[in-house]
Amino acid sequence: MKTCSFSIAILASILLGFMPCPSHAGTLPAPNPETTHWSFSSSTTAADFGPATMTATGEAGTTDTFVTETVGGSSATVLDFTARAAPADGYAVRAGIDGATDGGSADGIEIFTMVLDIRFTDAGVGYMGIYNGNPSNSNDAELFIRPNTGGFWSGGGTGSIAAGTLTLNQFHRIVYRIDYLSNVLDIFVDGVNVSGPIVAPDWIYDGDPYPFAFLGDNTPGETGPGQLAAFGFTNTLLSDAQIATLGAPDAAGIFSNQGQKFCPTTLQGTLSSTDPYTVDLAWQ
């Protein structure tokens, strides 16, 4: 927390709204109320904040574990997941957002940004399913990591892309920015666009009542082991500049107030103990 002292006049200006929160290079707007973030710091799939939920399905609750690894030079708790034995194995994610608000289907979310701090741990795997808009996971995932090429596979007719952008056993910050209404997907790795605009895969349900399937596939042979250090989901399209600011993985997580990534939004003030005309302020 950073503290500073202001005169009563400056304080009044802040309270009247004349001094908005400062912005600078490397600063993102604070997450909106419909943004969800998981860091797994509690060694559970409970979110740090946001309306979404993540629930293990099939055998994932037994086979997957939480372990401590080094992420961006610091220790962090990560979700250690295995190759799947059945289509039911994985996670059901309910976004907790009203799908009708984005201008598309009343039950679907067609505009969103998904961010994963993730690594694969077996380079012999051909496909590692990431998410499937089909709530029963009864067809191919929309997006795959391809460990054997260090690239990706995307639905919508694009197929395999961006070989050589991912490294075995290295955490990468992967961003999927999907505008289904405009039929556009962009994939970023560590802040860099590696796909260019390509055809968007399918949208997802809003979680009422249907979830989307996560970290699995309808074909168990198209899954693989890996580790997820953090996961973020928001129903907005982050800009190229904002995604560049997110950069590479770090132990603080993705949508976090740590590291000065986000502009603080709350000022807390106390009267100075030494000067009755000064208020000490702290950004929260």
Side-chain angles (χ1 to χ4, degrees), residues 21-29 242 245 260-264:
C21 174
S23 63
H24 53 82
T27 299
L28 292 174
Q242 289 171 333
T245 294
Q260 300 297 305
K261 286 181 183 175
F262 286 100
C263 183

Side-chain angles (χ1 to χ4, degrees), residues 25-215:
T27 299
L28 292 174
N32 68 29
E34 296 180 330
T35 298
T36 301
H37 180 269
W38 292 263
S39 68
F40 310 110
S41 58
S42 63
S43 295
T44 71
T45 57
D48 301 313
F49 59 81
T53 61
M54 181 191 303
T55 306
T57 59
E59 296 299 315
T62 301
T63 59
D64 295 2
T65 58
F66 297 93
V67 299
T68 300
E69 298 287 354
T70 299
V71 182
S74 299
S75 294
T77 301
V78 306
L79 172 62
D80 188 86
F81 58 90
T82 65
R84 304 310 184 193
D89 299 344
Y91 295 87
V93 177
R94 287 179 164 81
I97 300 169
D98 184 0
T101 61
D102 67 4
S105 165
D107 293 322
I109 300 174
E110 289 91 349
I111 293 175
F112 59 91
T113 305
M114 186 182 295
V115 189
L116 306 93
D117 288 355
I118 193 170
R119 69 178 175 181
F120 58 88
T121 55
D122 183 351
V125 172
Y127 296 87
M128 188 169 80
I130 299 300
Y131 93 88
N132 192 346
N134 183 311
S136 62
N137 199 30
S138 58
N139 56 17
D140 262 345
E142 316 302 338
L143 292 163
F144 292 85
I145 289 174
R146 298 210 58 194
N148 65 344
T149 69
F152 301 89
W153 185 95
S154 175
T158 299
S160 296
I161 55 171
T165 58
L166 305 176
T167 303
L168 174 69
N169 290 322
Q170 178 177 329
F171 281 103
H172 292 282
R173 180 160 288 169
I174 298 172
V175 179
Y176 297 115
R177 185 179 65 195
I178 296 175
D179 184 348
Y180 183 78
L181 297 179
S182 298
N183 202 25
V184 174
L185 162 69
D186 288 277
I187 302 175
F188 297 76
V189 175
D190 300 332
V192 178
N193 193 321
V194 299
S195 69
I198 57 178
V199 176
D202 208 357
W203 49 274
I204 62 173
Y205 284 98
D206 61 8
D208 182 19
Y210 301 117
F212 65 89
F214 187 57
L215 297 181

